C-alpha cells in the first residue's frame, strides 16, 4: 500500500469514528434531559409527601390518612387556621407555581414570609435543589382548582370549618 493510500484510509477511518461519536453525542442529551426532569419531579413528589405540604395545602389530606391521588394534591384548603394573626388558609400551590418560572419560585421561597401555620422558616432553609424539585413536581401536576379563601385580619370570625388555636397572650412570631 502506498503512503497516499494509507493516509486516505486513516482519514476515512477517522471520519467514520468522528461521525459515530458526533452522532452519539447529538442523540443522547434529549433522553438524558427527559430522564433528569422525571427524576427531579419524582424527588419533588417525595419531598412534598414527607415535607407535610399536603397536611395544610390539600383539603382533608390528614383526615383521609394521605389517601388522596397526586392529581388532587395542593389545590388549597378551605379549613382556616385561626389565631392572633387572624385566619390563614393553605393556599392553592398549583396556581402559585403556575404564575412563577423556576427562578421566580426559587427567589420567592428563599425569602418567603407568611402567616402561621405556614412553616416559612422551613421552606427558606430548604436546599435550593430540593425547592427546585418541588417546583418541577407541582409544575408537572399542572394548574387546577380555585384560589383558597383570602386570609382574614385578627378579630374577624371566619365561616366554619376552622381550627382555632388558643395561644399564650404573647403574640406568636410572624413566621
Ligand atoms: C402546618 C400547615 C402548613 C404546612 C405543613 C405547609 N404550609 Fe405552606 N402555607 C400554609 C398556610 C396557612 C399558608 C398561607 C399563609 C398566609 O396566608 O400568609 C401557606 C403559604 C405557603 C406559601 C405562600 C403562599 C403562596 O401560595 O404563594 C408557599 C409557597 C407555601 N405555603 C409552600 C409550602 C410548601 C412547599 C410546603 C411543604 C414543604 C408547605 N407550604 C407546608 C400552611 C402550611
Amino acid at each position: 500500500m502506498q503512503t497516499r493510500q494509507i493516509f486516505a484510509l486513516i482519514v476515512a477511518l477517522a471520519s467514520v469514528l468522528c461521525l459515530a461519536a458526533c452522532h452519539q453525542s447529538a442523540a443522547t442529551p434529549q433522553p438524558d434531559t427527559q430522564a433528569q426532569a422525571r427524576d427531579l419531579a419524582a424527588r419533588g413528589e417525595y419531598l412534598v409527601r414527607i415535607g407535610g405540604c399536603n397536611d395544610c395545602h390539600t383539603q382533608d389530606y390528614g383526615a383521609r390518612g394521605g389517601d388522596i391521588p397526586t392529581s388532587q394534591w395542593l389545590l388549597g384548603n378551605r379549613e382556616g387556621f385561626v389565631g392572633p394573626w387572624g385566619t390563614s388558609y393553605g393556599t392553592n400551590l398549583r396556581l402559585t407555581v403556575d404564575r412563577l418560572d423556576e427562578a421566580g419560585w426559587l427567589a420567592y421561597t428563599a425569602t418567603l414570609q407568611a402567616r402561621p401555620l405556614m412553616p416559612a422558616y422551613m421552606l427558606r432553609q430548604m436546599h435550593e435543589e430540593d425547592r427546585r424539585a418541588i417546583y418541577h413536581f407541582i409544575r408537572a401536576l399542572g394548574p387546577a382548582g380555585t384560589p383558597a379563601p383570602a386570609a382574614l385580619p385578627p378579630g374577624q370570625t371566619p365561616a366554619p370549618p376552622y381550627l382555632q388555636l388558643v395561644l399564650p397572650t404573647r403574640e406568636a412570631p410572624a413566621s
Side-chain angles (χ1 to χ4, degrees), residues 53 67 74 78 102 121 158 172:
C53 318
D67 187 21
L74 309 177
R78 293 182 310 277
E102 186 190 281
Y121 45 84

Side-chain angles (χ1 to χ4, degrees), residues 120-138:
Y121 45 84
M122 184 185 82
L123 200 55
R124 290 197 300 266
Q125 286 172 25
M126 196 183 272
H127 290 160
E128 185 175 296
E129 69 229 55
D130 292 339
R131 286 182 289 114
R132 181 179 292 120
I134 288 179
Y135 174 81
H136 282 276
F137 168 61
I138 303 177

Side-chain angles (χ1 to χ4, degrees), residues 78-98:
R78 293 182 310 277
E79 190 176 304
F81 297 123
V82 180
W85 56 86
T87 305
S88 61
Y89 297 88
T91 48
N92 181 331
L93 293 178
R94 308 269 288 266
L95 298 180
T96 302
V97 159
D98 189 54

